Amino acid sequence: IACPNCHQIVLSKVDYSAGLLTYLFCGGLFFCGFVLGCCLIPFCVDRLKDAKHTCPVCKTVLGVYKRL
Ligand SMILES: [Zn+2]
C-alpha cells in the first residue's frame, strides 16, 4: 500500500482494537449468562475487533476496518 503521508510503498501494519461489536458481544454474553470472565472473551478475539492499518514508517493511520 502506498502511504499518502511519506509516499513510500509500505506493508500496512494492522492493529486490532476493541470496537463496537466487541462491546455488543460482551454485553450480550453478560446479559445471557452473568458469568464473570465470559464477558471478557470478546476482547481476546481479534475477529471481533476493529482492524486499524497504520504506516510502519510514519505511523499515519491509513484506514480503519470496522466490523459494523
Ligand atoms: Zn507513511
Side-chain angles (χ1 to χ4, degrees), residues 3 5-7 55 57-60:
C3 174
N5 190 50
C6 59
H7 302 290
C55 173
V57 179
C58 61
K59 313 299 182 195
T60 297

Side-chain angles (χ1 to χ4, degrees), residues 3-4 6-10 14 18-20 25 34 38 46-48 52 61-62 64 67:
C3 174
C6 59
H7 302 290
Q8 293 191 57
I9 305 299
V10 294
V14 182
L20 182 59
F25 205 81
F34 279 101
C38 278
D46 283 343
R47 286 186 178 191
L48 292 173
K52 188 173 77 172
V61 177
L62 302 172
V64 178
R67 307 294 168 176

